[in-house]
Amino acid sequence: MRTLVAIVVAQALGLSVMAAPAVYAADQQDSAKIAELKKQLADLTEELEDLTTRVSKNERHSATDRIVLSGDFRVKAHSLHYQNVTWNPAIAVNFSDFGMRAMAGEYGNPMDANSPLGKMMTANPDLAMAFQSGMLQGVMPYVLANPETQDIDNDLLYTTRLRLNLKAKVWDNVDFAGRLSMYKNWGDSTGVQVFDSWRSFSMDGTNSGNTSGDWLRVERAYFDWRDIGGSPFYLSIGRRPSTYGPPSQYRENELRGGTPSGHLVNFNFDGLTLGYKLGELLDVEGMVVRFCYGQGFESQWGNGELFGDTVTKDTHLGGFNIDVINDGNHFLQLTLFGAKDINDGFKGTIAFPNQLASIFAPTMYQDLQKFDSFNFVTRVQPSGVIGDMYLGGIGYAYESDDEQKFFASFGWTQTNGNGNAGMFGGMLSDAVFTAELNADGTEIIMSPATADDDSSHNGYGVYVGMQIPAPYGKVGLEYNYGSKYWTPFTQAQDDPIGSKLATRGHVVEGYYIFDVNPKMFIKLAGLYYDYDYTGSGTPVGAPQKVSDVIAGRAYSLLPVVDKAYDVNASLTVNF
Amino acid sequence: MMKTKLQLGVVLLAALFAVGATAAEGGNPKKGKHLYKKECKVCHSKSDAAGEITPMSKTMAQWDRFFDKDKHGAKPEVFEKLSEQDIKDIQQFLYDHAVDSAQPQTCG
């Protein structure tokens, strides 16, 4: 037994002696590993501390940075060409009324050269002759200037548009959205244009689509309050997202840019939307019913004369805007709304054209001639209510899985004139002028008395188009037509010749979009306008056949364009 | 030399075709939407235990990370049964509609 123990001890000792270097090496390795791990841990701790500091900074930043800013920037070069631009101004005068008043002596003694009538006869001998020989009876045009027709080429017009989108999460179910935009033509920040058409009017509803200088204007500012009380209702109030609505977003190469149909409305409105996500109830994707209300004109505040001498009325709009389906492939929208108490214009600013001064303000024109390149800038306001309007439309767009897009939209407008008229006319009617004495009884002036027509007029418009993938981008083709009385609210569409969708006539557009990268694209486009009737984009004034104006059979206080084309190239950067 | 030229040509061609590149090269967002509804919503709808997932649950970069690195790590078999193309389509759809992507400019 002793021997056995001895052997075991000896073996153990022997073994341990033999194993000693190995154990020593293992210890050494472990210590090295531990040291290494300690170092790694220290590094990691250091890294973690650094990360914690950086994450805390980010956390603090994101918690305090309450607005998300994004935007887009577009530079565009246009070549604009207008054909048969005709100016043939005249006003319709009630000569029978004039004769009656003249006979009653209201305008003074015709034999006295210093009487108002005598002065008028001396200034207009041909007119006096025609009147005396009985050629002027009833309501007839009083021609104001010799007709002029010319072609106009604006070979290069550059514009820059900057839009900054603001988004803020107010609460779990409340968001704020805003858009600040600047849209200018190069080298001009006056904010006003010479009033040669309704397009060139600087005013609230169209400032975002009309070049108005280097000012950043609030195009949109509203909140969305969703799932009110857990229901599918939502409420949104403010300056509305009412521009670039469907299907006009395809040509803009952007997502749906506004709520209402872009074929009927492309106009900045202040108002509210009460919506109901009916799709959640009926299981139809994207189905939303909206009631929209807005005010397009404020008649009293800041308006009228010194003592609130207001003759206009507030313009209120209301109606329904229904997305029947919006599932990414199919989009069907119904729109119906009315505008009550439309006035013969808006509040806005214009640079007064000197040619109109020579006709309507001869005394002032005497002085203005000394400054023939000066235009006085003036704030204008409408002169009265001319009637009500209704607008309706149905639009459908199909987007295939491989990005082929097709759309068709039909629009209807109805105007109900009330017989009133301002200088440029009544609701789709012309003004009939009456001769009156001015305030001190020294001069006869012509004042718009009534509209020549107070009947209702229906207009309609169609808009069809497609966009299909092409090498490095997409190509698109669009066509739209508007009838004689077609009067949509699309004046903020930023086509320099005028909103193409408001055209009373035909417009064809073809374009190619080159997608430089997902955030940048180049668009090359050509638009051809063929106007059938005058007054596109305004409910004021009777539409005249353009060919009649050119032939001298019809008249217009503002120049009339026959055909026009716009070739343009743009580069847009989204950020 | 010939080889260098060829390489250069390939690089240029690749650069040319890289134009229009999106999150998942070759992903079709519209098809992705159908697949998302079919494959993802079954487990990720409002009251599901797996939790509701919408495109707006993540940012664009977070979706890319999810598809490139995580690959549905919590339940990898979900991705394994889908084809590579289907996954690309879903990724593109989620990326296009992520919380920091461009959204329609409407009031709902």
Side-chain angles (χ1 to χ4, degrees):
Chain A
M1 184 67 188
R2 197 181 286 174
T3 315
L4 189 66
V5 171
I7 290 168
V8 170
V9 170
Q11 273 185 342
L13 277 172
L15 275 174
S16 63
V17 170
M18 277 165 68
V23 169
Y24 178 72
D27 279 354
Q28 287 285 89
Q29 274 178 0
D30 283 352
S31 327
K33 268 186 194 161
I34 288 168
E36 176 69 14
L37 280 171
K38 271 187 180 165
K39 191 180 173 304
Q40 280 181 5
L41 204 62
D43 286 351
L44 264 175
T45 313
E46 198 181 323
E47 178 100 21
L48 213 60
E49 275 169 9
D50 180 46
L51 272 174
T52 311
T53 319
R54 282 160 59 195
V55 169
S56 311
K57 260 187 202 163
N58 274 340
E59 245 177 5
R60 222 175 23 244
H61 185 64
S62 57
T64 51
D65 196 3
R66 298 199 175 123
I67 289 182
V68 177
L69 207 61
S70 63
D72 61 82
F73 172 80
R74 184 187 78 188
V75 283
K76 200 165 183 177
H78 294 270
S79 189
L80 307 173
H81 304 274
Y82 305 80
Q83 292 165 349
N84 298 329
V85 182
T86 304
W87 193 47
N88 188 16
I91 53 173
V93 174
N94 187 340
F95 284 103
S96 300
D97 175 78
F98 179 79
M100 230 159 57
R101 289 173 187 233
M103 295 290 277
E106 195 176 311
Y107 309 130
N109 181 0
M111 306 311 286
D112 176 2
N114 288 321
S115 72
L117 188 56
K119 279 195 276 191
M120 190 191 188
M121 286 166 68
T122 313
N124 302 280
D126 293 348
L127 191 77
M129 192 89 82
F131 187 72
Q132 278 164 350
S133 60
M135 284 164 67
L136 296 177
Q137 281 179 348
V139 175
M140 291 185 76
Y142 172 31
V143 177
L144 299 167
N146 291 324
E148 278 178 61
T149 298
Q150 57 181 316
D151 290 349
I152 297 171
D153 294 304
N154 184 351
D155 294 328
L156 267 182
L157 167 75
Y158 293 112
T159 62
T160 298
R161 186 186 72 182
L162 168 70
R163 302 192 296 191
L164 299 174
N165 299 313
L166 312 175
K167 246 183 192 175
K169 193 177 167 74
V170 178
W171 202 246
D172 285 344
N173 60 342
V174 184
D175 289 323
F176 166 80
R179 184 192 266 172
L180 310 178
S181 63
M182 178 209 76
Y183 180 39
K184 77 187 296 292
N185 56 290
W186 288 12
D188 177 10
S189 281
T190 54
V192 283
Q193 296 169 33
V194 171
F195 186 67
D196 59 3
S197 63
W198 288 96
R199 186 209 57 73
S200 56
F201 195 26
S202 296
M203 58 106 166
D204 185 69
T206 61
N207 274 338
S208 64
N210 188 13
T211 58
S212 58
D214 59 355
W215 305 329
L216 206 52
R217 295 171 182 271
V218 180
E219 183 185 339
R220 298 172 176 192
Y222 58 94
F223 69 83
D224 281 339
W225 178 15
R226 298 180 310 275
D227 310 325
I228 300 171
S231 74
F233 275 107
Y234 70 87
L235 177 68
S236 177
I237 307 181
R239 193 149 169 78
R240 312 303 307 145
S242 50
T243 47
Y244 304 101
S248 69
Q249 81 272 25
Y250 296 120
R251 68 190 289 253
E252 305 290 336
N253 196 29
E254 59 187 22
L255 296 174
R256 181 181 185 177
T259 306
S261 156
H263 188 198
L264 285 171
V265 178
N266 194 328
F267 202 88
N268 301 311
F269 278 117
D270 301 306
L272 63 85
T273 289
L274 181 65
Y276 187 83
K277 290 178 179 150
L278 193 60
E280 289 179 10
L281 212 70
L282 303 180
D283 202 24
V284 179
E285 194 173 343
M287 183 187 260
V288 184
V289 177
R290 306 176 184 88
F291 169 72
C292 305
Y293 162 79
Q295 184 177 345
F297 180 79
E298 162 59 46
S299 63
Q300 287 172 292
W301 188 265
N303 208 13
E305 304 307 328
L306 271 180
F307 303 105
D309 180 18
T310 306
V311 286
T312 52
K313 283 186 185 172
D314 292 355
T315 306
H316 296 278
L317 304 100
F320 291 92
N321 192 342
I322 302 165
D323 290 358
V324 179
I325 185 170
N326 184 7
D327 68 358
N329 289 112
H330 304 276
F331 174 72
L332 180 64
Q333 185 179 33
L334 306 175
T335 309
L336 184 67
F337 70 97
K340 184 138 180 61
D341 295 328
I342 291 195
N343 297 281
D344 63 331
F346 289 89
K347 296 177 200 177
T349 48
I350 62 167
F352 194 76
N354 287 341
Q355 288 95 330
L356 288 187
S358 74
I359 293 169
F360 293 104
T363 318
M364 187 172 71
Y365 184 64
Q366 293 310 314
D367 279 340
L368 280 174
Q369 285 177 83
K370 295 164 197 158
F371 308 97
D372 61 357
S373 64
F374 287 20
N375 297 93
F376 68 84
V377 172
T378 182
R379 173 193 182 278
V380 287
Q381 63 191 36
S383 62
V385 175
I386 57 171
D388 304 329
M389 274 182 73
Y390 295 95
L391 294 92
I394 177 166
Y396 172 73
Y398 171 72
E399 295 185 20
S400 78
D401 283 355
D402 48 3
E403 297 300 320
Q404 309 219 22
K405 294 156 186 170
F406 303 90
F407 64 83
S409 174
F410 177 79
W412 158 82
T413 59
Q414 186 187 70
T415 55
N416 297 314
N418 63 5
N420 288 337
M423 179 179 162
F424 288 96
M427 181 71 90
L428 296 184
S429 55
D430 279 336
V432 176
F433 285 74
T434 301
E436 286 174 356
L437 285 184
N438 66 351
D440 64 0
T442 55
E443 193 190 343
I444 295 175
I445 53 169
M446 294 291 180
S447 299
T450 56
D452 66 353
D453 172 19
D454 63 357
S455 57
S456 297
H457 294 293
N458 290 293
Y460 69 91
V462 290
Y463 179 28
V464 291
M466 58 184 274
Q467 188 187 77
I468 54 171
Y472 311 118
K474 44 211 135 188
V475 288
L477 193 62
E478 299 191 352
Y479 165 78
N480 63 277
Y481 169 77
S483 72
K484 181 178 181 182
Y485 294 112
W486 170 239
T487 313
F489 283 111
T490 61
Q491 295 90 329
Q493 196 168 32
D494 63 8
D495 305 313
I497 287 173
S499 162
K500 74 164 192 168
L501 292 177
T503 301
R504 292 175 182 152
H506 309 262
V507 180
V508 180
E509 179 178 9
Y511 61 81
Y512 170 67
I513 291 168
F514 172 65
D515 290 314
V516 179
N517 62 42
K519 296 283 192 183
M520 281 171 75
F521 68 89
I522 291 169
K523 182 181 171 190
L524 308 171
L527 285 91
Y528 182 76
Y529 294 66
D530 182 358
Y531 289 97
D532 287 345
Y533 287 90
T534 64
S536 294
T538 175
V540 182
Q544 305 289 348
K545 221 171 181 167
V546 171
S547 53
D548 284 349
V549 178
I550 296 169
R553 292 188 296 268
Y555 304 89
S556 174
L557 278 181
L558 294 169
V560 171
V561 178
D562 179 13
K563 293 175 173 58
Y565 61 96
D566 169 2
V567 181
N568 61 68
S570 60
L571 174 65
T572 305
V573 176
N574 293 299
F575 53 88
Chain B
M1 189 62 191
M2 187 64 196
K3 202 178 167 193
T4 318
K5 271 190 183 165
L6 194 71
Q7 275 176 347
L8 192 69
V10 170
V11 168
L12 281 177
L13 208 65
L16 209 59
F17 280 98
V19 162
T22 41
E25 197 69 39
N28 181 324
K30 287 239 162 50
K31 284 184 182 152
K33 185 178 180 182
H34 301 310
L35 286 162
Y36 159 79
K37 278 188 191 165
K38 199 173 121 204
E39 305 290 347
C40 311
K41 290 308 266 184
V42 282
C43 299
H44 290 297
S45 285
K46 224 169 208 172
S47 49
D48 289 328
E52 191 189 14
I53 298 276
T54 74
M56 289 176 74
S57 305
K58 291 183 192 294
T59 65
M60 292 190 279
Q62 283 170 341
W63 279 125
D64 276 353
R65 263 210 305 279
F66 177 79
F67 279 85
D68 297 341
K69 292 226 170 78
D70 186 90
K71 297 179 197 287
H72 212 290
K75 219 177 169 191
E77 61 271 24
V78 174
F79 269 26
E80 281 159 17
K81 68 169 182 144
L82 291 167
S83 75
E84 205 174 308
Q85 186 59 47
D86 285 355
I87 292 176
K88 270 185 191 174
D89 293 347
I90 296 173
Q91 180 178 359
Q92 188 68 60
F93 165 69
L94 294 172
Y95 179 92
D96 284 359
H97 297 83
V99 67
D100 56 337
S101 66
Q103 301 290 323
Q105 301 282 329
T106 68
C107 63

